[in-house]
Amino acid sequence: MTGSLNELETLVKRATRGAGLSWGIAEEAGKSARWLASRGFPAGALVLAWLQQGEQVAYRERVPADPRGTEWKAGASFLCPVCTGCVLSDRATAGRLSLPLRLREVLCPLLFLPFLEGLSRKLGHPVQVENPLAGATVLLDAEDGWRGERLEALGAVPTDLSLRAQPGARPPRVERFYRVDWEAEEKAGLDAFAHRTFAPASIGHQSGAGAGLRDND
Amino acid sequence: MVTSPDSVARPPLRSPDEVMRLSRMGAFHQHRLSFMRVLLRRLRGEGWQFDRPVFALDPAGVGRAVYSARGPERTYSLVAFAHDLPDDQRSDRVIATAWDTTFTLFDGVPGAADLDRLAANVPLQEAGRLEETELSLSRANRSVRLFEHVVDRLAAGTQPDPSRIDAVGYLMRTTAVYGSGKFGAADRQRIADRPELATPFQVEMLAVYLIRAFVLDLVEHLARARSPETAVPLEPGLRRRFGIGNSTGLGMAPFLLTHPVLLHHWIAVREEAFARVRGVAEATAGEEQAFRTIFRRARRGIDQWRTEHPVQCERLAGLREDLDRLEAHLADADLRHDHPWERLWAWTHAHLRLEAQEWLVSLSLEPYGDRVDELAGRMGADEIGTFAIDGSPTVGEFREQVASDYAWALALDWQSPARRARAWYISEEKLEPRLGDREAEGLEPYEQPLAPGRDVAALYADLAAEDPATSVADFLFHRPEHRHAVRRVQQVAAFPYAEIRDNTIDAELLPIDLLRAKLSFFGATHFDPRSDRWVRINMFRNAPFPEELATAPEDDWAYPPLED
């Protein structure tokens, strides 16, 4: 089944909230999923893997213990790609980010990539992120520029990343996609997380939609 | 004060603190920049052609039809399915599962395979799936009060009773018009760069405009099928008096809260247009005459407005009384010299209620299409580029921003049960937004983030505990629960009309005020609340039909003619 980017964004936002993260971070997750899907990545599957593995981990344990340094490491777990992405994005706009930056054990690292677009915009030139062990590299900018190599090596397991500015590089413009290919299982998995945000049928009936006057006349 | 890039001499825009109150937004009326009017101006101006490549209905009116609108670059087609719906299954509620008619707007002209695929999905509505070639999904039900009467009369060779047409105003009402990627349809992003779709909701408005044409054809088809020997078509003047109804509930209400930057652009454009008109130093005799004529026609539209809802009845009575006073004032008012519209606004603002004030705002744009119509191109918004949070301000600076833009929220006592009486939630049954009693119904765990006033007040309190020199980035690092509220404050700082400056979970909240504000921008009239949270309206009443558009006067349909 195919779906729209809007459906993906809405579902991911609700699922992220259902997994216990704040609404503001859920909004970022939705936008990130949309960004990845529009570049042809299986965003739904990535988000599901992220939510499943991160579910029991508190926010404080999944963000950098000390974001002021040039090596980010989670206090007691892996780095969450979305929560860490928010930290990166906020610090970048505040001019409080030192590059190059090393990130230890980033879960589902592709989900971290959308946050680099804002960093590139702030810096005014492309940024490159790589995992030398796997040979995976991404160069991107804020004008839809994109060059990725061996990204399939960046799966769902926590991976180290290094990030640096690449002034002068000119990645080619990425092809844009407007559809999402859904696997039934990943859709069902995200639906289950999202479902936690819905009020059960047993409550909320007293007023609900407001019956009011007759509606068949 | 809100600044604007326009070099046109004009007074300042009205303040967001004045405009963005629910009581005022709930008194908005349609205007020149409403989306239906923008659409028909474009279709007419660009000489769009219309045809009906498929009209395959059986004598009972069951079957399919296709209506195509052909523009300079692209064609869009309404695909209509008409069904045989037992009377006891007809419901406006979103929980309905069957309808008299179902529709999609197709991008291009559908082939036979497309139509078969759509026939298997569109009649199921939310339970079906659409593809990227589909731009909208909607359905409509008959007005039991009027539909049979019209078929009966036409079949017998006579015209329907005009007073019965006016009492209802439409033969069918749509009960949902979905667009923007819903149920698999194409994303807004996919089509937003097309000039004909740059103004918001043009897809949905085009679908509804063509639905109206289909419904009138359907009723004439049924009359012919019933009595081929005697049936007559509707007389054209009478035919135009049918709009298309719409029944809208809470599903639409959160839209204005979840699209703050878009809301800003709508309101800012209307305010800019109004300020340009107030900036007119000397009106011509033609402009004065145009205003006085439209005043009489619009007054007639208000006289035809029917509602049974106590709140709207009271507002309507006040509006009619105020329009009497305004009419008396206009009898000897100078509408030519010394900033006539600014003076008229000052008088209205000082003497009349909100309904009449906002009515005058809409009306005063009418003689000035040449000054304001181009603003329609500014009503869309980039909602992705305005998403990122700026981590650079200090907490001290940021608190000042909150105090300035959210003074209305900080002044409320959020500990008082009445101020937090309601909660917005999504029901698992239909995945639709609902509004309920927070405490009595145990809704808090399921609450949607649709109470920006409360959330920003909580943010403000927590900011007070921080070192003022801390950056917003550092604050959010350890207070991620405030992330959505911080984003909101920053969007409102850049887009001052982005926020409704009222409590959206108050015990006294009237959700119909949110619906009214949005529907006025669609161009809806005859706002008829059926409870505090759902409403019926009329769309395209008195508008020329597609085949009449080229020869009809430009944009002259939004108010009833002076005589029948």
Side-chain angles (χ1 to χ4, degrees):
Chain A
M1 181 174 87
T2 74
S4 68
L5 298 176
N6 250 7
E7 289 175 303
L8 171 75
E9 179 177 342
T10 301
L11 178 56
V12 167
K13 183 169 82 169
R14 289 173 177 170
T16 304
R17 175 63 177 168
L21 289 163
S22 75
W23 277 116
I25 287 175
E27 290 167 349
E28 306 270 355
K31 283 278 183 289
S32 297
R34 185 187 191 104
W35 190 95
L36 283 170
S38 74
R39 283 156 177 77
F41 288 97
L46 288 165
V47 169
L48 181 60
W50 163 59
L51 291 179
Q52 285 172 339
Q53 294 181 65
E55 207 193 341
Q56 302 302 327
V57 185
Y59 169 83
R60 203 144 311 289
E61 293 171 10
R62 52 162 89 186
V63 291
D66 180 6
R68 290 167 303 183
T70 56
E71 179 162 322
W72 286 6
K73 194 172 181 308
S77 175
F78 51 79
L79 285 172
C80 165
V82 175
C83 300
T84 306
C86 292
V87 174
L88 178 106
S89 174
D90 295 347
R91 295 191 73 81
T93 53
R96 288 162 180 255
L97 193 70
S98 305
L99 295 180
L101 181 66
R102 285 177 66 80
L103 300 104
R104 296 288 185 191
E105 303 280 302
V106 182
L107 180 67
C108 299
L110 289 170
L111 283 170
F112 180 69
L113 299 181
F115 296 92
L116 301 179
E117 186 178 89
L119 173 61
S120 169
R121 183 173 296 112
K122 175 71 180 176
L123 295 173
H125 42 72
V127 295
Q128 180 163 310
V129 61
E130 57 193 344
N131 176 288
L133 264 181
T137 306
V138 177
L139 178 72
L140 63 83
D141 66 20
E143 273 81 47
D144 286 346
W146 172 272
R147 184 163 60 228
E149 288 162 29
R150 286 187 55 78
L151 295 180
E152 64 283 1
L154 299 178
V157 291
T159 308
D160 289 357
L161 297 177
S162 63
L163 175 63
R164 60 196 159 93
Q166 278 290 54
R170 285 185 172 270
R173 278 177 76 93
V174 71
E175 182 189 356
R176 295 296 286 268
F177 297 84
Y178 293 94
R179 295 305 277 182
V180 179
D181 281 317
W182 284 110
E183 299 293 334
E185 271 175 38
E186 74 199 37
K187 173 81 163 56
L190 290 173
D191 278 339
F193 276 107
H195 190 265
R196 299 177 190 175
T197 67
F198 303 146
S202 56
I203 65 171
H205 263 296
Q206 283 97 321
S207 44
L213 301 171
R214 68 202 170 274
D215 71 341
N216 180 13
D217 56 357
Chain B
M1 186 185 102
V2 180
T3 55
S4 149
D6 296 283
S7 55
V8 187
R10 57 150 179 79
L13 305 191
R14 295 192 293 173
S15 147
D17 285 323
E18 176 175 11
V19 178
M20 302 306 291
R21 301 308 299 260
L22 275 176
S23 53
R24 184 174 291 277
M25 296 176 73
F28 281 1
H29 300 260
Q30 68 81 34
H31 48 87
R32 291 194 70 93
L33 294 154
S34 293
F35 305 140
M36 286 176 215
R37 297 185 62 181
V38 173
L39 174 74
L40 292 202
R41 284 202 298 270
R42 176 181 287 272
L43 297 183
R44 184 182 178 281
E46 294 182 349
W48 286 55
Q49 301 290 310
F50 302 87
D51 56 24
R52 197 177 74 177
V54 178
F55 193 81
L57 300 184
D58 70 13
V62 175
R64 58 176 71 164
V66 176
Y67 285 65
S68 294
R70 300 173 188 278
E73 289 184 63
R74 278 170 288 269
T75 297
Y76 301 90
S77 299
L78 179 79
V79 180
F81 297 97
H83 312 287
D84 183 16
L85 181 71
D87 278 347
D88 62 352
Q89 287 185 29
R90 188 175 295 110
S91 169
D92 285 4
R93 300 282 306 274
V94 73
I95 52 175
T97 54
W99 303 270
D100 284 316
T101 51
T102 54
F103 308 92
T104 184
L105 191 74
F106 187 88
D107 193 6
V109 181
D114 293 315
L115 288 180
D116 289 343
R117 176 176 58 81
L118 294 172
N121 285 282
V122 171
L124 304 177
Q125 295 286 293
E126 293 95 333
R129 282 303 287 177
L130 299 177
E131 301 279 337
E132 204 172 10
T133 43
E134 284 85 67
L135 306 178
S136 76
L137 180 70
S138 55
R139 65 289 190 109
N141 281 337
R142 292 177 184 185
S143 163
V144 175
R145 293 169 289 170
L146 196 54
F147 199 92
E148 192 50 35
H149 167 74
V150 175
V151 175
D152 247 5
R153 285 284 182 98
L154 294 180
T158 56
Q159 295 295 318
D161 176 355
S163 67
R164 291 186 64 171
I165 299 175
D166 289 346
V168 180
Y170 51 80
L171 288 165
M172 282 197 186
R173 55 181 169 261
T174 53
T175 66
V177 183
Y178 298 111
S180 295
K182 294 278 173 55
F183 310 108
D187 274 290
R188 164 89 187 146
Q189 211 179 342
R190 176 78 166 155
I191 53 173
D193 60 350
R194 301 179 183 182
E196 69 272 23
L197 304 181
T199 298
F201 286 97
Q202 296 299 280
V203 160
E204 292 85 347
M205 296 303 110
L206 177 59
V208 170
Y209 181 59
L210 295 175
I211 288 171
R212 172 174 175 254
F214 167 74
V215 169
L216 272 296
D217 287 356
L218 172 66
V219 81
E220 290 174 340
H221 165 86
L222 287 169
R224 271 194 311 276
R226 187 174 297 179
S227 179
E229 306 299 318
T230 56
V232 292
L234 276 160
E235 184 276 313
L238 214 48
R239 205 174 192 264
R240 278 190 293 274
R241 279 159 78 163
F242 292 96
I244 189 88
N246 174 266
S247 189
T248 292
L250 280 178
M252 178 189 270
F255 182 92
L256 297 179
L257 290 160
T258 53
H259 295 82
V261 179
L262 189 61
L263 174 62
H264 165 87
H265 283 78
W266 297 6
I267 304 285
V269 153
R270 179 169 176 267
E271 292 304 313
E272 172 67 32
F274 183 45
R276 286 184 184 181
V277 171
R278 283 185 290 129
V280 170
E282 303 284 320
T284 66
E287 287 159 0
E288 176 186 7
Q289 193 50 49
F291 178 83
R292 290 187 182 276
T293 302
I294 286 291
F295 181 95
R296 291 170 59 212
R297 288 176 57 184
R299 177 68 212 253
R300 194 155 183 255
I302 299 300
D303 290 340
Q304 290 173 354
W305 187 343
R306 305 269 180 275
T307 185
E308 299 170 30
H309 192 262
V311 170
Q312 191 57 39
C313 280
E314 192 186 322
R315 289 179 182 179
L316 204 45
L319 175 59
R320 287 173 178 146
E321 194 181 300
D322 278 353
L323 295 192
D324 287 341
R325 297 176 68 192
L326 183 55
E327 194 167 0
H329 173 77
L330 285 171
D332 52 8
D334 170 11
L335 294 183
R336 292 288 303 280
H337 309 295
D338 187 21
H339 293 89
W341 313 113
E342 178 75 349
R343 286 189 292 103
L344 184 58
W345 166 244
W347 184 88
T348 302
H349 192 251
H351 293 95
L352 306 182
R353 302 169 179 87
L354 293 178
E355 279 267 7
Q357 289 181 25
E358 294 306 310
W359 188 80
L360 182 80
V361 171
S362 289
L363 221 61
S364 60
L365 309 187
E366 292 296 340
Y368 293 99
D370 56 341
R371 288 185 188 228
V372 306
D373 288 352
E374 52 99 8
L375 291 167
R378 298 193 201 170
M379 299 178 89
D382 171 12
E383 294 184 295
I384 293 177
T386 51
F387 178 77
I389 285 174
D390 176 5
S392 66
T394 65
V395 160
E397 292 162 348
F398 190 69
R399 273 192 104 226
E400 280 178 35
Q401 187 70 55
V402 175
S404 150
D405 287 338
Y406 284 85
W408 61 271
L410 302 181
L412 295 175
D413 173 12
W414 293 98
Q415 300 311 310
S416 156
R419 299 290 80 78
R420 46 192 301 129
R422 317 282 193 93
W424 292 91
Y425 66 99
I426 292 176
S427 69
E428 73 170 354
E429 289 162 295
K430 195 68 185 184
L431 303 188
E432 279 281 318
R434 297 276 182 264
L435 185 65
D437 186 311
R438 173 183 308 279
E439 297 297 331
E441 300 179 54
L443 290 168
E444 186 130 325
Y446 308 102
E447 185 174 15
Q448 292 282 309
L450 298 173
R454 177 203 57 194
D455 294 352
V456 171
L459 163 68
Y460 188 77
D462 283 346
L463 287 167
E466 296 285 325
D467 175 355
T470 305
S471 69
V472 165
D474 281 332
F475 172 73
L476 282 175
F477 175 64
H478 63 96
R479 299 307 297 265
E481 70 272 26
H482 289 305
R483 189 166 191 84
H484 72 287
V486 167
R487 188 186 332 278
R488 192 98 189 169
V489 170
Q490 293 193 338
Q491 286 174 330
V492 172
F495 302 100
Y497 297 108
E499 193 73 278
I500 296 167
R501 301 188 179 209
D502 252 316
N503 180 8
T504 51
I505 51 170
D506 199 279
E508 306 295 316
L509 170 74
L510 285 175
I512 48 174
D513 287 337
L514 293 162
L515 303 180
R516 168 86 174 259
K518 186 178 182 204
L519 292 165
S520 75
F521 275 91
F522 284 9
T525 57
H526 301 269
F527 184 81
D528 177 18
R530 310 294 288 172
S531 79
D532 68 346
R533 54 190 75 192
W534 71 282
V535 60
R536 283 183 185 159
I537 52 159
N538 199 306
M539 304 169 82
F540 290 113
R541 194 175 194 175
N542 296 310
F545 284 90
E547 66 277 10
E548 301 173 317
L549 196 56
T551 52
E554 193 200 11
D555 196 10
D556 190 46
W557 59 272
Y559 306 97
L562 281 177
E563 282 153 27
D564 294 328

